[in-house]
């Protein structure tokens, strides 16, 4: 079968975009780790590992393996000063002279694995630091995610454009779409932690509005494919709001909300925790949760107003 050589590879795209030498190499190394995770998803036993992560959640064998694969690649890159993973406690130092700190969720959507739905890996890249407390997701210098669905797709942003690549048949990430951008249009919605509707009346009101406006539901239960859907279509709204089970919503600021807020805002969309941009929420706990409103900018503002009881 013919393999296109006319599409830019991830590496040549990063080079042409003027991404610095070290950051280009780091992103390439993360992309390479992503290929091994892609392979692990297809070949590893899908059962439980018999262990729990620092936050007490059962780990799948795949959670543990994805974490190990990524950690090894970060170590091998010799560019990473330190990292923090959703699957490990605190921060760990890799190379003192490394320029970057990488935060990641190795496998987002663990509960979807046995159902064979799309899952992902999420990364935030910061300049090297020893302690993330007091920092903000706005300080990220790049963010990227991989979505493992019928195809494996990588989306990265180093501040300006947001660009998508797919893993081709010879194992190279090649350009799929340049400059993903969000319009102020909302035909679809992905309302997460919907159980909060029962104890958060403002969220119930927001749902009523969306139902009345006859939006199309596009919710898979995985933040990566759900937000990727919006970025590819250039429209939509995703929420994960607090309720009694998860007072601040289910999603983690450092590993999930922060990287996506960085990518979404660079694509011209918006992000909010209900009061401010997610990029400005101060990190005070590695496991910090935050309400998430993310997507088309105007709709993010409307959700914010409805949740504040202003509309
Ligand atoms: P995890 O890394 O623990 O697999 O997180 C999955 C997250 C996120 O992807 C998704 O939006 C959310 O969990 C869905 O939660 P519920 O299934 O509880 O609605
Ligand atoms: Mn996750
Ligand atoms: Mn995870």
């Amino acid at each position: 079968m013919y393999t296109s050589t006319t599409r830019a590879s991830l590496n040549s795209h990063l080079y042409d975009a003027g991404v610095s030498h070290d950051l280009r190499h780091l992103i390439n190394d993360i992309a390479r780790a992503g290929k091994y995770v892609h392979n692990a998803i297809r070949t590893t036993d899908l059962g439980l590992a018999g262990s729990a992560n620092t936050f007490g959640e059962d780990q799948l064998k795949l959670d543990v393996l994805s974490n190990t694969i990524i950690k090894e690649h970060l170590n091998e890159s010799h560019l990473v000063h330190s990292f923090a993973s959703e699957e490990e406690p605190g921060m760990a130092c890799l190379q003192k002279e490394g320029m970057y700190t990488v935060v990641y969720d190795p496998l987002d959507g663990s509960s979807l694995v046995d159902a064979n739905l799309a899952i992902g890996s999420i990364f935030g890249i910061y300049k090297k630091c020893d302690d993330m407390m007091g920092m903000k997701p706005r300080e990220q210098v790049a963010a990227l995610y991989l979505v493992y669905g019928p195809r494996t797709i990588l989306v990265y942003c180093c501040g300006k454009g947001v660009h998508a690549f797919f893993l081709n048949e010879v194992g190279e990430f090649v350009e799929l779409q340049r400059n993903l951008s969000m319009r102020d249009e909302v035909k679809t919605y992905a309302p997460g932690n919907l159980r909060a509707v029962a104890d958060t009346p403002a969220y119930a009101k927001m749902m009523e509005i969306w139902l009345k406006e006859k939006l199309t539901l596009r919710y898979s239960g995985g933040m990566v494919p759900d937000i990727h859907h919006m970025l590819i279509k250039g429209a939509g709204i995703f929420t994960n709001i607090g309720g009694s089970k998860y007072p601040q919503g289910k999603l983690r600021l450092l590993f999930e909300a922060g990287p996506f807020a960085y990518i979404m805002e660079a694509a011209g969309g918006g992000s909010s925790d209900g009061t401010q941009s997610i990029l400005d929420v101060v990190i005070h706990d590695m496991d910090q949760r935050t309400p998430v409103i993310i997507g088309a900018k105007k709709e993010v503002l409307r959700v914010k107003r409805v949740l504040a009881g202003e509309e």
Side-chain angles (χ1 to χ4, degrees), residues 170-219:
V170 296
E172 173 127 56
F173 281 105
V174 292
E175 192 177 295
L176 177 65
Q177 215 175 312
R178 263 171 203 251
N179 294 313
L180 303 183
S181 68
M182 295 295 292
R183 301 182 300 278
D184 262 329
E185 195 181 303
V186 194
K187 286 192 186 138
T188 62
Y189 65 142
N193 198 26
L194 215 46
R195 52 179 88 72
V197 160
D199 32 47
T200 311
Y203 198 23
K205 184 168 178 205
M206 194 65 247
M207 277 304 297
E208 260 171 48
I209 294 172
W210 283 330
L211 287 168
K212 213 181 280 168
E213 291 178 356
K214 298 183 180 167
L215 300 190
T216 301
L217 182 73
R218 281 294 175 268
Y219 186 75

Side-chain angles (χ1 to χ4, degrees), residues 86 105 107-109 256:
E86 192 191 77
D105 180 353
L107 199 73
D108 182 69
E256 295 166 326

Side-chain angles (χ1 to χ4, degrees), residues 46 60 110-117:
L46 301 181
L60 297 181
S110 308
S111 70
L112 306 173
V113 166
D114 57 356
N116 202 24
L117 290 172

